[in-house]
Amino acid sequence: MKSCKVLAASLIAITLTAGFSLKAAEESLNSFSGEPVEVNATTSSTSKTTQNEDATKDKKEEKKGEFPIEGTVQGDSLRLRSWPWGPVIGMFNTGMPVTITGESGEFYEVTINGQSGFMHKNYVSTAKAPASRIAPYYPGNTASGGYLPKSEGIAQSESGNKSGSTPSKTPSTPSAAESGALASYTGGQLPSDKFIALFGPVARESMRQTGVPASVTVAQAILETGWGRSSIGDAKNLFGIKGTGPAGTTNAYTQECTNGQFVTIKDGFRRYNSWQESIDDHAKLLQNSRYGGALNQYKQTKNADNYARGIHQAGYATDPNYANKLINLMKSYNLYQWDI
Amino acid sequence: MKRLTLLITVFLLTSALLYAGLGVPGELDPVLAKSKFTWKNVKLDIEKRFDKEKLTVVLTAFNDKGEKVWSSESLGEQEKFITFSGKKTSLAVKDMDGDGMPELVAAAMTGPETSALYIYKYQACCNEFLPMNFTYAESKFSRPFMVSDLYDTNNRDIIVMKNNNIRASGKIYTENDGPIEGYYFFEPKNGEFLCKYIKTKSEVDKPNK
């Protein structure tokens, strides 16, 4: 009799466990509604920022010094060009020693493995100045192997150096003013400069954690909200994602047509505690296996245009012109400046 | 003792009934849908399965010996029903391009609002299936699947009509005004599905009164 009781207890336990495992499996299947993982974003970003600021400062000091300087390539498949943004005449990987013989705007004039040419400063380390590895703004289509005529390339290199392609001040975490402005923004259409100034730093912060390029994130937020016009009331929902968010659900009414009659449908949209949460949640989606290939490629090439094309090709958006629309925004408003 | 055995039996049966409706598709039973592909002397059992290891939905073909002869790439992460000739459907086998050979039609969720529809064509040479392209000729853009990024709980975001034309609900992006809800219409042509036209929802869903 005692053994029967034990058996009965075991069966109850097994049945309940099965029930819980079913529930757990159900939850694991619902992979689109997971909450953002909490990470110590500020600490790691701050230390990296400080390092980058030091590197920029040292590079400036280096200018005053005399060439040649010995350096090292920091980045795989770093292009050696005939002139700044000129034809690619070689590619070199991390660790390759390089002799810096001069500079021209964003580029060092170098000799490497017996070849002479120009390499982007952001990917060359010296004893005084580690490479920032910040993806530069590529003028024209030079990112995909094209090049600019000599005079144009040199001019672009010089202007890029001034405009922040090789930033004179390395991007930092959102400042107190930026954070304050963002906290007080409750939605609604903004002028382009204000929208970008608000969301650029947040997207950059997210990029530090996820690798998703900030330029693409900001462009997506612009397209999804029409410069903030439709962020689902006060849900802080930048990407129109339905379901339950970290702060619950906000109901919005939309018109559906059924059997030729318009019917008002109440849809639940994810609600977030902050704009940062909305961006992080979206970045989480872009880290799944479908879009993982595009992200891995971006980590290698730092080409945000190709990343936009990659996620589109992988199934992001029905609109056939989605990637082109993102790239147009990125170019028009130089959103690349927010990529780290 | 008999009473206890009876009690246990009743308890187990009750539990089974309780959990019967809670089974996650693809968890206890990885087969989401089944159909048969028949063309000339080729007979294959087609299954839409949930891959427990990779958490993805795939199509698999088995020969008459029960051997797996082909498996698709991941269609998506969750089951997705579509409206196929007016009915809620998970997997269909039908001649979509009018060449006498049936194709496999199935969709899966790929994001919170986004689904992908795949139409697989049999390749007699290699006893496998390849996805047919969905092409937007005007935009010179093509993918081996169709995307709908406006989810509809009634499965009307992807509709395969009786004439084999397909309608996807999707956003039409504008730079300044946010996205507009729209419909994308495809028709089979020259071995692929061509986007015939794109219309806004308000253009199509005109009320009767």
Side-chain angles (χ1 to χ4, degrees):
Chain A
M1 189 63 188
K2 191 182 173 186
S3 64
C4 284
K5 279 181 184 170
V6 172
L7 177 67
S10 306
L11 284 168
I12 292 167
I14 289 165
T15 314
L16 289 174
T17 310
F20 283 126
S21 74
L22 274 172
K23 183 69 185 161
E26 194 173 24
E27 281 165 2
S28 75
L29 260 181
N30 189 13
S31 57
F32 304 130
S33 59
E35 292 186 9
V37 180
E38 192 175 320
V39 285
N40 189 355
T42 318
T43 311
S44 60
S45 319
T46 309
S47 62
K48 189 177 176 187
T49 304
T50 311
Q51 187 191 0
N52 284 342
E53 279 170 354
D54 290 347
T56 311
K57 190 181 162 193
D58 286 342
K59 280 201 192 294
K60 278 183 178 173
E61 282 173 2
E62 211 167 62
K63 286 178 191 173
K64 295 170 194 166
E66 286 184 11
F67 297 106
I69 303 166
E70 294 307 315
T72 317
V73 171
Q74 294 295 327
D76 287 339
S77 305
L78 178 60
R79 298 178 179 98
L80 177 72
R81 295 178 183 272
S82 295
W83 56 80
W85 299 121
V88 178
I89 53 175
M91 286 178 135
F92 298 91
N93 291 332
T94 299
M96 192 79 183
V98 58
T99 304
I100 301 165
T101 55
E103 64 175 342
S104 174
E106 294 178 272
F107 285 78
Y108 282 134
E109 191 172 356
V110 299
T111 302
I112 183 167
N113 202 28
Q115 279 183 283
S116 293
F118 291 80
M119 281 182 158
H120 202 281
K121 287 176 179 175
N122 290 9
Y123 297 101
V124 177
S125 275
T126 64
K128 277 188 169 182
S132 69
R133 297 181 68 130
I134 296 167
Y137 171 67
Y138 287 91
N141 66 344
T142 53
S144 56
Y147 62 90
L148 298 178
K150 193 168 185 176
S151 57
E152 197 181 329
I154 292 169
Q156 284 285 355
S157 171
E158 294 292 340
S159 67
N161 198 33
K162 286 169 197 158
S163 70
S165 187
T166 301
S168 54
K169 184 178 183 296
T170 313
S172 61
T173 52
S175 66
E178 284 168 344
S179 301
L182 196 62
S184 60
Y185 172 61
T186 54
Q189 191 163 13
L190 291 170
S192 57
D193 56 337
K194 286 192 177 168
F195 186 93
I196 292 165
L198 271 186
F199 290 105
V202 193
R204 187 179 58 210
E205 233 0 76
S206 177
M207 182 178 182
R208 286 200 168 99
Q209 306 304 320
T210 63
V212 174
S215 52
V216 176
T217 303
V218 175
Q220 287 185 300
I222 293 167
L223 278 186
E224 291 288 353
T225 64
W227 299 100
R229 177 189 275 190
S230 55
S231 47
I232 324 292
D234 60 351
K236 296 186 169 73
N237 189 329
L238 283 171
F239 304 97
I241 301 177
K242 289 179 190 170
T244 305
T249 303
T250 289
N251 288 318
Y253 292 89
T254 54
Q255 292 278 306
E256 292 271 334
C257 186
T258 308
N259 300 324
Q261 303 273 332
F262 269 115
V263 182
T264 303
I265 303 287
K266 195 164 76 170
D267 262 336
F269 287 85
R270 291 189 192 183
R271 188 183 173 88
Y272 299 96
N273 295 303
S274 66
W275 299 104
Q276 178 84 55
E277 266 187 357
S278 174
I279 285 177
D280 288 345
D281 194 26
H282 180 252
K284 198 173 170 185
L285 166 70
L286 290 175
Q287 288 176 294
N288 78 16
S289 57
R290 179 165 280 263
Y291 305 114
L295 190 55
N296 287 338
Q297 199 183 11
Y298 175 74
K299 285 174 181 170
Q300 302 285 322
T301 63
K302 298 289 178 191
N303 186 327
D305 293 1
N306 278 349
Y307 177 75
R309 292 186 194 102
I311 59 169
H312 188 213
Q313 189 65 41
Y316 201 104
T318 316
D319 191 329
N321 300 311
Y322 183 70
N324 291 336
K325 287 172 184 175
L326 289 179
I327 293 166
N328 283 345
L329 285 168
M330 286 150 65
K331 284 193 191 302
S332 299
Y333 298 97
N334 189 18
L335 301 179
Y336 308 97
Q337 66 183 296
W338 301 104
D339 291 336
I340 51 173
Chain B
M1 182 65 184
K2 276 184 183 174
R3 277 181 72 182
L4 184 65
T5 310
L6 185 67
L7 191 70
I8 291 167
T9 310
V10 170
F11 178 77
L12 283 175
L13 286 172
T14 313
S15 306
L17 282 173
L18 275 172
Y19 290 121
L22 297 178
V24 179
E27 179 62 21
L28 294 181
D29 181 2
V31 179
L32 303 169
K34 284 184 180 183
S35 193
K36 285 187 185 298
F37 172 86
T38 308
W39 182 69
K40 294 185 176 175
N41 59 348
V42 180
K43 286 182 182 170
L44 297 169
D45 288 318
I46 308 298
E47 290 183 355
K48 188 179 185 186
R49 289 173 161 251
F50 182 74
D51 186 323
K52 286 191 289 183
E53 300 292 316
K54 297 172 187 166
L55 296 174
T56 57
V57 176
V58 292
L59 291 179
T60 310
F62 298 90
N63 63 18
D64 52 5
K65 292 173 189 164
E67 296 163 338
K68 186 163 88 175
V69 293
W70 169 79
S71 196
S72 72
E73 69 271 40
S74 167
L75 308 188
E77 294 168 28
Q78 287 186 37
E79 168 66 307
K80 170 78 181 102
F81 291 96
I82 59 173
T83 299
F84 191 95
S85 298
K87 290 179 185 167
K88 177 184 172 183
T89 304
S90 171
L91 167 66
V93 180
K94 189 192 174 192
D95 178 13
M96 295 291 293
D97 57 359
D99 67 350
M101 180 198 280
E103 281 82 41
L104 317 181
V105 183
M109 295 289 293
T110 60
E113 312 300 319
T114 312
S115 309
L117 174 77
Y118 288 80
I119 297 183
Y120 281 96
K121 188 157 196 66
Y122 183 66
Q123 308 295 309
C125 64
C126 354
N127 201 27
E128 64 174 11
F129 294 85
L130 284 180
M132 294 174 74
N133 276 342
F134 285 80
T135 299
Y136 303 77
E138 217 169 275
S139 309
K140 295 176 183 167
F141 180 69
S142 192
R143 284 188 288 220
F145 51 84
M146 187 197 75
V147 172
S148 165
D149 60 2
L150 276 177
Y151 179 64
D152 181 340
T153 47
N154 295 321
N155 313 305
R156 295 183 63 77
D157 42 353
I158 298 177
I159 298 177
V160 180
M161 291 172 253
K162 284 182 181 166
N163 64 358
N164 292 344
N165 281 9
I166 300 169
R167 190 188 85 174
S169 301
K171 296 175 191 171
I172 302 166
Y173 287 95
T174 61
E175 187 182 314
N176 293 317
D177 301 322
I180 301 165
E181 295 185 24
Y183 293 126
Y184 294 73
F185 293 86
F186 293 86
E187 65 175 351
K189 206 169 190 179
N190 302 328
E192 61 180 355
F193 286 83
L194 279 181
C195 185
K196 272 202 301 188
Y197 47 83
I198 302 166
K199 288 190 182 293
T200 62
K201 202 170 179 181
S202 57
E203 277 179 289
V204 176
D205 293 343
K206 286 174 186 160
N208 288 340
K209 53 183 179 181

